[in-house]
Coordinates of all heavy atoms in Angstrom, one line a residue:
I740 N -2.0 -1.5 9.7 CA -0.8 -2.0 10.4 C -0.1 -3.1 9.7 O 1.1 -3.0 9.5 CB -1.3 -2.5 11.8 CG1 -1.9 -1.4 12.7 CG2 -0.1 -3.2 12.6 CD1 -2.3 -1.8 14.0
R741 N -0.9 -4.1 9.2 CA -0.2 -5.1 8.4 C 0.4 -4.6 7.1 O 1.5 -5.0 6.8 CB -1.3 -6.2 8.1 CG -0.8 -7.4 7.3 CD -1.9 -8.3 6.9 NE -2.7 -7.6 5.8 CZ -3.9 -8.1 5.4 NH1 -4.4 -9.2 5.9 NH2 -4.5 -7.4 4.5
E742 N -0.3 -3.7 6.4 CA 0.2 -3.2 5.1 C 1.5 -2.4 5.3 O 2.4 -2.5 4.5 CB -0.9 -2.4 4.4 CG -2.1 -3.3 4.0 CD -1.7 -4.3 2.9 OE1 -0.8 -4.0 2.1 OE2 -2.3 -5.4 2.9
I743 N 1.5 -1.5 6.3 CA 2.7 -0.7 6.5 C 3.9 -1.5 7.0 O 5.0 -1.3 6.6 CB 2.3 0.4 7.5 CG1 1.4 1.5 6.9 CG2 3.6 1.1 8.0 CD1 1.0 2.6 7.8
L744 N 3.6 -2.5 7.8 CA 4.7 -3.4 8.3 C 5.3 -4.1 7.1 O 6.5 -4.3 6.9 CB 4.2 -4.4 9.3 CG 4.0 -3.9 10.7 CD1 3.3 -4.9 11.6 CD2 5.3 -3.4 11.3
R745 N 4.4 -4.6 6.1 CA 4.9 -5.3 4.9 C 5.7 -4.3 4.1 O 6.7 -4.7 3.5 CB 3.7 -5.8 4.2 CG 4.0 -6.5 2.9 CD 2.8 -6.9 2.1 NE 2.0 -7.8 2.9 CZ 0.7 -8.3 2.5 NH1 0.2 -7.8 1.4 NH2 0.1 -9.1 3.3
L746 N 5.2 -3.1 3.9 CA 5.9 -2.1 3.1 C 7.3 -1.8 3.7 O 8.3 -1.7 3.0 CB 5.1 -0.8 2.9 CG 5.7 0.3 2.1 CD1 6.0 -0.1 0.7 CD2 4.7 1.5 2.2
E747 N 7.3 -1.6 5.0 CA 8.6 -1.3 5.7 C 9.6 -2.4 5.5 O 10.8 -2.2 5.2 CB 8.3 -1.1 7.2 CG 9.6 -0.8 8.0 CD 9.3 -0.8 9.5 OE1 8.3 -1.4 9.9 OE2 10.1 -0.2 10.2
K748 N 9.1 -3.7 5.6 CA 10.0 -4.8 5.5 C 10.6 -4.9 4.1 O 11.8 -5.2 3.9 CB 9.2 -6.1 5.8 CG 10.0 -7.4 5.7 CD 9.2 -8.6 6.1 CE 10.0 -9.9 6.0 NZ 9.2 -11.1 6.4
E749 N 9.7 -4.6 3.1 CA 10.2 -4.7 1.7 C 11.2 -3.6 1.4 O 12.2 -3.8 0.7 CB 9.0 -4.5 0.7 CG 8.1 -5.7 0.7 CD 6.9 -5.5 -0.3 OE1 7.0 -4.5 -1.0 OE2 6.0 -6.3 -0.3
L750 N 11.0 -2.4 2.0 CA 11.9 -1.3 1.7 C 13.3 -1.5 2.4 O 14.3 -1.2 1.8 CB 11.3 0.0 2.3 CG 10.1 0.6 1.4 CD1 9.4 1.7 2.2 CD2 10.6 1.1 0.1
K751 N 13.2 -2.0 3.6 CA 14.5 -2.3 4.3 C 15.3 -3.5 3.8 O 16.5 -3.5 3.9 CB 14.2 -2.4 5.8 CG 13.7 -1.2 6.5 CD 13.5 -1.4 8.0 CE 13.1 -0.1 8.7 NZ 12.9 -0.2 10.1
S752 N 14.6 -4.4 3.3 CA 15.3 -5.6 2.8 C 15.7 -5.5 1.3 O 16.4 -6.3 0.8 CB 14.3 -6.9 2.9 OG 13.2 -6.7 2.1
G753 N 15.3 -4.4 0.7 CA 15.6 -4.2 -0.8 C 14.7 -5.0 -1.7 O 15.0 -5.0 -2.9
M754 N 13.6 -5.5 -1.2 CA 12.7 -6.3 -2.1 C 11.6 -5.5 -2.6 O 10.7 -6.0 -3.3 CB 12.2 -7.5 -1.2 CG 13.2 -8.5 -0.7 SD 14.1 -9.3 -2.1 CE 12.8 -10.3 -2.8
Y755 N 11.6 -4.2 -2.3 CA 10.5 -3.4 -2.7 C 10.5 -3.1 -4.2 O 11.5 -2.8 -4.8 CB 10.6 -2.0 -2.0 CG 9.6 -1.0 -2.6 CD1 8.3 -1.0 -2.2 CD2 10.1 0.0 -3.4 CE1 7.4 0.0 -2.7 CE2 9.2 1.0 -3.9 CZ 7.9 1.0 -3.6 OH 7.0 1.9 -4.1
R756 N 9.3 -3.3 -4.8 CA 9.2 -3.0 -6.3 C 7.9 -2.2 -6.4 O 6.8 -2.6 -5.9 CB 9.1 -4.3 -7.1 CG 10.4 -5.2 -7.0 CD 11.5 -4.5 -7.8 NE 12.7 -5.3 -7.8 CZ 13.6 -5.3 -6.8 NH1 13.5 -4.5 -5.7 NH2 14.7 -6.1 -6.8
E757 N 7.9 -1.2 -7.3 CA 6.7 -0.4 -7.5 C 5.7 -1.2 -8.3 O 6.1 -2.0 -9.2 CB 7.0 0.9 -8.3 CG 7.5 2.0 -7.4 CD 7.4 3.3 -8.0 OE1 6.9 3.4 -9.2 OE2 7.7 4.3 -7.4
R758 N 4.5 -1.1 -8.0 CA 3.4 -1.7 -8.8 C 3.1 -0.9 -10.1 O 3.4 0.2 -10.1 CB 2.2 -1.9 -7.9 CG 2.4 -2.8 -6.8 CD 1.1 -3.0 -5.9 NE 1.4 -3.9 -4.8 CZ 0.5 -4.2 -3.9 NH1 -0.7 -3.6 -3.9 NH2 0.8 -5.0 -2.9
K759 N 2.6 -1.6 -11.0 CA 2.3 -1.0 -12.3 C 1.3 0.1 -12.2 O 0.2 -0.1 -11.7 CB 1.8 -2.1 -13.3 CG 1.7 -1.5 -14.8 CD 1.3 -2.7 -15.7 CE 1.2 -2.2 -17.1 NZ 0.8 -3.2 -18.1
P760 N 1.7 1.3 -12.7 CA 0.8 2.5 -12.5 C -0.4 2.4 -13.6 O -0.3 1.7 -14.6 CB 1.7 3.7 -12.8 CG 2.7 3.2 -13.7 CD 3.0 1.7 -13.3
K761 N -1.4 3.2 -13.3 CA -2.5 3.3 -14.2 C -2.5 4.6 -14.9 O -2.0 5.6 -14.3 CB -3.9 3.0 -13.5 CG -4.0 1.7 -12.9 CD -5.3 1.5 -12.2 CE -5.5 0.1 -11.5 NZ -6.8 0.0 -10.8
F762 N -3.0 4.7 -16.1 CA -3.0 6.0 -16.8 C -4.4 6.3 -17.2 O -5.2 5.4 -17.6 CB -2.1 5.9 -18.1 CG -0.7 5.7 -17.7 CD1 -0.1 4.5 -17.6 CD2 0.2 6.8 -17.6 CE1 1.2 4.3 -17.3 CE2 1.5 6.7 -17.3 CZ 2.0 5.4 -17.2
F763 N -4.8 7.6 -17.1 CA -6.1 8.1 -17.5 C -5.9 9.5 -18.1 O -4.9 10.2 -17.9 CB -7.1 8.1 -16.4 CG -6.7 9.0 -15.2 CD1 -7.2 10.3 -15.2 CD2 -5.9 8.5 -14.2 CE1 -6.8 11.1 -14.1 CE2 -5.6 9.3 -13.1 CZ -6.0 10.6 -13.1
T764 N -6.9 9.9 -18.9 CA -6.8 11.2 -19.6 C -7.9 12.1 -19.0 O -9.0 11.8 -18.8 CB -7.1 11.0 -21.1 OG1 -6.1 10.1 -21.6 CG2 -7.0 12.3 -21.8
V765 N -7.4 13.4 -18.7 CA -8.3 14.4 -18.3 C -8.4 15.5 -19.4 O -7.5 15.7 -20.2 CB -7.8 15.1 -17.0 CG1 -7.8 14.1 -15.9 CG2 -6.4 15.7 -17.2
T766 N -9.6 16.1 -19.5 CA -9.8 17.1 -20.6 C -9.9 18.5 -20.0 O -10.0 19.4 -20.8 CB -11.1 16.7 -21.3 OG1 -12.2 16.7 -20.4 CG2 -11.0 15.4 -22.0
E767 N -10.0 18.7 -18.7 CA -10.1 20.0 -18.1 C -8.9 20.3 -17.2 O -8.5 19.4 -16.4 CB -11.4 20.1 -17.3 CG -12.7 20.0 -18.1 CD -12.9 21.2 -19.0 OE1 -12.3 22.3 -18.7 OE2 -13.8 21.1 -19.9
P768 N -8.3 21.4 -17.3 CA -8.6 22.5 -18.2 C -8.0 22.3 -19.6 O -8.4 23.0 -20.5 CB -7.8 23.7 -17.5 CG -6.7 23.1 -16.8 CD -7.2 21.8 -16.3
K769 N -7.2 21.3 -19.8 CA -6.7 20.9 -21.1 C -6.5 19.4 -21.1 O -6.3 18.8 -20.1 CB -5.4 21.6 -21.4 CG -4.2 21.4 -20.5 CD -3.0 22.2 -20.9 CE -1.9 21.9 -19.9 NZ -0.7 22.7 -20.2
T770 N -6.4 18.8 -22.3 CA -6.3 17.4 -22.4 C -4.9 17.0 -22.1 O -3.9 17.5 -22.7 CB -6.7 16.9 -23.9 OG1 -8.0 17.3 -24.1 CG2 -6.6 15.4 -24.0
R771 N -4.7 16.0 -21.2 CA -3.4 15.5 -20.9 C -3.5 14.2 -20.2 O -4.6 13.9 -19.6 CB -2.6 16.5 -20.0 CG -3.4 16.9 -18.7 CD -2.6 17.8 -17.9 NE -3.3 18.3 -16.7 CZ -2.8 19.1 -15.8 NH1 -1.6 19.5 -15.8 NH2 -3.6 19.4 -14.7
E772 N -2.5 13.4 -20.2 CA -2.5 12.0 -19.6 C -1.9 12.1 -18.2 O -0.9 12.7 -18.0 CB -1.7 11.1 -20.5 CG -1.7 9.6 -20.0 CD -0.9 8.7 -20.8 OE1 0.3 8.9 -21.0 OE2 -1.5 7.7 -21.4
I773 N -2.6 11.5 -17.3 CA -2.2 11.6 -15.9 C -1.9 10.1 -15.4 O -2.6 9.2 -15.7 CB -3.3 12.2 -15.0 CG1 -3.6 13.6 -15.4 CG2 -2.8 12.1 -13.5 CD1 -2.4 14.6 -15.2
M774 N -0.8 10.0 -14.7 CA -0.4 8.7 -14.1 C -0.9 8.5 -12.7 O -0.7 9.4 -11.9 CB 1.1 8.5 -14.2 CG 1.6 7.2 -13.7 SD 3.4 7.0 -13.7 CE 3.9 8.1 -12.4
S775 N -1.5 7.4 -12.4 CA -2.0 7.2 -11.0 C -1.2 6.0 -10.5 O -1.3 4.9 -11.0 CB -3.5 6.9 -11.0 OG -3.9 6.5 -9.7
I776 N -0.5 6.2 -9.4 CA 0.4 5.1 -8.8 C -0.4 4.5 -7.7 O -1.4 5.0 -7.1 CB 1.7 5.7 -8.3 CG1 1.5 6.7 -7.2 CG2 2.5 6.2 -9.4 CD1 2.8 7.3 -6.6
A777 N 0.0 3.3 -7.3 CA -0.7 2.5 -6.2 C -0.5 3.3 -4.9 O 0.4 4.0 -4.7 CB 0.0 1.1 -6.1
F778 N -1.5 3.1 -4.0 CA -1.6 3.8 -2.8 C -0.3 3.5 -1.9 O 0.2 4.5 -1.3 CB -2.8 3.5 -2.0 CG -3.0 4.3 -0.8 CD1 -3.3 5.7 -0.9 CD2 -2.9 3.7 0.5 CE1 -3.5 6.4 0.2 CE2 -3.1 4.5 1.6 CZ -3.4 5.9 1.5
R779 N 0.1 2.3 -1.9 CA 1.3 2.0 -1.1 C 2.5 2.7 -1.6 O 3.4 3.1 -0.8 CB 1.5 0.5 -1.0 CG 1.9 -0.2 -2.4 CD 1.8 -1.6 -2.4 NE 2.6 -2.3 -1.4 CZ 3.9 -2.7 -1.6 NH1 4.4 -2.5 -2.8 NH2 4.6 -3.3 -0.7
D780 N 2.6 2.8 -2.9 CA 3.8 3.5 -3.5 C 3.7 5.0 -3.3 O 4.7 5.7 -3.0 CB 3.8 3.3 -5.0 CG 4.0 1.8 -5.4 OD1 4.6 1.1 -4.6 OD2 3.5 1.4 -6.5
R781 N 2.5 5.5 -3.2 CA 2.3 6.9 -2.9 C 2.7 7.3 -1.5 O 3.3 8.3 -1.2 CB 0.8 7.3 -3.1 CG 0.6 8.8 -3.1 CD -0.9 9.1 -3.5 NE -1.2 8.7 -4.8 CZ -0.9 9.4 -5.9 NH1 -0.3 10.5 -5.8 NH2 -1.2 8.9 -7.1
I782 N 2.5 6.3 -0.6 CA 2.9 6.5 0.8 C 4.4 6.6 0.9 O 4.9 7.5 1.6 CB 2.4 5.4 1.7 CG1 0.8 5.4 1.8 CG2 3.0 5.4 3.1 CD1 0.2 4.3 2.5
Y783 N 5.1 5.7 0.3 CA 6.6 5.7 0.3 C 7.1 7.0 -0.4 O 8.0 7.7 0.2 CB 7.1 4.5 -0.4 CG 8.5 4.5 -0.8 CD1 9.5 4.9 0.2 CD2 9.0 4.3 -2.1 CE1 10.9 4.9 -0.2 CE2 10.3 4.3 -2.4 CZ 11.2 4.6 -1.5 OH 12.6 4.7 -1.8
Q784 N 6.6 7.4 -1.5 CA 7.1 8.6 -2.2 C 6.8 9.8 -1.4 O 7.6 10.8 -1.4 CB 6.5 8.6 -3.6 CG 6.9 7.5 -4.5 CD 6.5 7.7 -5.9 OE1 6.1 8.8 -6.4 NE2 6.4 6.6 -6.7
R785 N 5.6 9.9 -0.7 CA 5.3 11.1 0.1 C 6.2 11.2 1.3 O 6.7 12.3 1.6 CB 3.8 10.9 0.6 CG 3.3 12.1 1.4 CD 3.3 13.4 0.6 NE 2.8 14.5 1.4 CZ 1.6 15.0 1.5 NH1 0.6 14.3 0.8 NH2 1.3 16.0 2.2
S786 N 6.6 10.1 1.9 CA 7.5 10.1 3.0 C 8.9 10.5 2.5 O 9.5 11.3 3.2 CB 7.6 8.7 3.6 OG 8.5 8.7 4.7

């Protein structure tokens, strides 16, 4: 509840900034770099 209210407030006020993503490498089925974004950013992007 607290986290979503905070995210909503940032988005509506224009103060929202994405957090720095993390990168990791997978080797199956082929080697490639994958970006992992913060959970709060994933919620906004999914919406």
Side-chain angles (χ1 to χ4, degrees):
I740 296 178
R741 183 188 66 191
E742 293 296 328
I743 289 182
L744 285 172
R745 179 185 298 173
L746 179 59
E747 179 189 23
K748 183 179 179 181
E749 290 180 9
L750 289 168
K751 290 183 176 179
S752 64
M754 299 297 292
Y755 170 78
R756 297 292 182 274
E757 278 201 358
R758 295 181 180 176
K759 188 176 180 180
K761 297 179 180 179
F762 295 88
F763 60 94
T764 302
V765 296
T766 57
E767 295 288 346
K769 59 182 179 181
T770 302
R771 55 181 176 176
E772 187 181 57
I773 300 295
M774 182 181 72
S775 176
I776 60 177
F778 186 68
R779 67 195 298 271
D780 299 331
R781 190 173 298 279
I782 291 173
Y783 165 51
Q784 293 187 21
R785 180 65 181 264
S786 180

